[in-house]
Amino acid sequence: MRKVFHNLWGEKERWVLQAADLTEQAKPLPNPARGWYQIYTFQAEEEPDLHELAYCLDVNQTLALVFFDIGFYRDMDLDLDCLRRMRAVLHFFADNHKDIILRVAYDHQGRALELEPFTFERVLRHMEQIGEVLAEFPHEILVWQGLLVGNWGEMHTSRFLSREKLGQLLEILYHGKSPHTFTAVRRPVYYRMLQGDKVGGMGLFDDGMFGSGSNLGTFGTYTREAAGWGEAWSREEELAFEEEMCRRVPNGGEAVYGEDYTEGLSGERMVSDLRRMHIAYLNSRHDIRILDMWKKCPFQGQGPWAGRSLYDYIGAHMGYRFQVREVQMSPARGARRGMYRVELVIENCGFGNLCQEAELYLEWTDETGRLQRQRLECDLRELDGGCTQSIDCLVQGCECTLYLAARRKWDGAPIRFANVSDEAGRTILGSLCRQAL
């Protein structure tokens, strides 16, 4: 802990900021729109048992991947009961404060060629109907994964993967969904294929991370120069592409154990790849073999995470992870008497960015017992992983404790920093104390 203070010439007293301990706390933060998730699969033609489902939710996870299997409707429109069931399930997860990753597909068993509609017109019609549901959840659905087609909805092994067909599905999807809902495609090459369409807010989902050198088909083998813009590139070049395209959008999926590949990777290499991909969310149940490997492997870095498991480190650093690095206070030159300038340095030590709008406040309780709040001019979405940002504001000297509070704008969900915080999730910056000169 250090003291930061300055004298006010000619005054009989001054205010001193006793800064709090700003050491990073090596613990997970239950922040919205990031972290571990589980998959909850629903047959679209069956009534869901939401009462029983309530006992299966992990209260420590802020995300849930909701998977609707609509294979039953391959030869017909989605009926009103189907759409009602979808709405009920989505409301259930929203009411339980889960940010929703949504995937709708005709197959969850690897049999898309058997279960997808015979005509592409039927697929287009289904996307139109689902879009009506999406519009009712403008913020609650964080990410829409895929475009209905392929094994497990992963955009492979399907008759409907041409650039023209995917572009038509994407056009309907963007017409129906909220601009606040991100989209995600299975491979970087699909992003490039659809670049001429509405790709704003589009990220990736990779369900084959570390399963092989190609992430089980996510990447190709040829160089960018040899393959061209419309084909998959080598691992290193695709990772470089993801590093740029996924800075402002969620990227996530599943880590997979591939014996011939995964065993040859160091923990440092896997963390480096996750950071380059800006991974924001991962499946907490699949593949248990690589998750167990992470749990047994100590993190080799420095600081409070040294010696903790790789699993703990990865879980805590998915998406954004903010920390106050410095706090200082000095007399505000040119301002009225008794005003002080508070300066903060904030770091994002996570793999990725905050992708939703948030508000940042300096808060304190004044000498009359009233809560005071000052909004800080800072867009946390622009703070990239590994970078810092300085923020300053003016406060009136008074005996109080200063707090930093961040909240997601659309629902007020607290965004906790990796510093010591109070029960409300506010970061404790320090105490202002009066000193006589």
Side-chain angles (χ1 to χ4, degrees), residues 69-101:
D69 185 325
I70 59 171
F72 178 84
Y73 294 93
R74 68 188 299 263
D75 296 321
M76 66 185 86
D77 284 357
L78 306 178
D79 55 36
L80 293 178
D81 281 338
C82 171
L83 299 175
R84 172 185 56 78
R85 286 188 285 267
M86 285 186 173
R87 290 184 174 93
V89 168
L90 295 174
H91 276 298
F92 169 83
F93 283 97
D95 291 343
N96 281 277
H97 309 291
K98 303 295 184 185
D99 290 310
I100 299 168
I101 305 165

Side-chain angles (χ1 to χ4, degrees), residues 97-347:
H97 309 291
K98 303 295 184 185
D99 290 310
I100 299 168
I101 305 165
L102 181 59
R103 194 186 305 182
V104 183
Y106 299 97
D107 157 68
H108 72 280
Q109 299 176 323
R111 300 166 49 205
L113 289 175
E114 301 174 40
L115 299 173
E116 287 179 351
F118 181 73
T119 67
F120 184 61
E121 287 70 22
R122 179 72 64 191
V123 182
L124 293 174
R125 173 57 181 157
H126 287 162
M127 184 65 88
E128 290 176 351
Q129 292 184 284
I130 294 168
E132 298 173 5
V133 177
L134 296 182
E136 299 174 23
F137 300 88
H139 296 282
E140 295 83 354
I141 300 174
L142 175 67
V143 180
W144 166 279
Q145 288 187 343
L147 290 169
L148 300 184
V149 297
N151 289 352
W152 304 284
E154 291 188 17
M155 304 176 71
H156 63 79
T157 320
S158 171
R159 294 178 290 109
F160 307 125
L161 295 176
S162 69
R163 186 241 176 269
E164 179 184 7
K165 288 183 171 60
L166 294 179
Q168 292 181 57
L169 288 169
L170 186 66
E171 181 68 28
I172 294 173
L173 173 63
Y174 269 73
H175 179 75
K177 77 171 188 66
S178 161
H180 301 291
T181 296
F182 295 93
T183 58
V185 291
R186 177 62 180 82
R187 303 166 68 202
V189 67
Y190 290 137
Y191 179 97
R192 295 193 292 270
M193 285 172 56
L194 298 168
Q195 189 184 37
D197 296 282
K198 298 178 180 178
V199 297
M202 178 181 286
L204 301 172
F205 70 101
D206 189 341
D207 288 351
M209 295 181 211
F210 308 117
S212 68
S214 69
N215 278 14
L216 300 182
T218 304
F219 311 137
T221 57
Y222 293 102
T223 65
R224 173 176 179 170
E225 182 179 4
W229 190 251
E231 299 293 336
W233 305 338
S234 66
R235 181 184 187 88
E236 178 60 30
E237 290 183 300
E238 290 287 30
L239 286 176
F241 182 79
E242 288 190 38
E243 193 169 6
E244 291 302 316
M245 70 161 285
C246 294
R247 289 185 183 277
R248 299 290 188 272
V249 292
N251 187 12
E254 296 177 349
V256 179
Y257 181 83
E259 185 172 357
D260 294 335
Y261 183 74
T262 311
E263 288 292 340
L265 296 176
S266 66
E268 293 87 343
R269 169 64 185 277
M270 287 186 278
V271 167
S272 175
D273 284 0
L274 293 171
R275 191 177 298 280
R276 293 183 70 185
M277 291 186 282
H278 306 297
I279 291 301
Y281 58 92
L282 287 174
N283 191 334
S284 65
R285 299 293 183 88
H286 182 85
D287 179 344
I288 196 67
R289 294 171 296 175
I290 193 170
L291 299 179
D292 283 345
M293 184 178 79
W294 288 350
K295 290 175 183 178
K296 296 174 184 177
C297 179
F299 177 66
Q300 298 298 322
Q302 303 297 315
W305 292 96
R308 299 288 293 270
S309 75
L310 197 62
Y311 179 88
D312 289 341
Y313 181 85
I314 290 171
H317 289 79
M318 282 188 274
Y320 59 93
R321 182 179 176 88
F322 300 124
Q323 179 184 357
V324 178
R325 288 295 187 185
E326 296 180 33
V327 56
Q328 300 185 9
M329 189 179 76
S330 59
R333 298 182 181 278
R336 71 177 185 273
R337 182 175 175 177
M339 296 299 294
Y340 288 78
R341 183 176 304 278
V342 175
E343 299 175 278
L344 306 173
V345 176
I346 296 174
E347 180 182 3

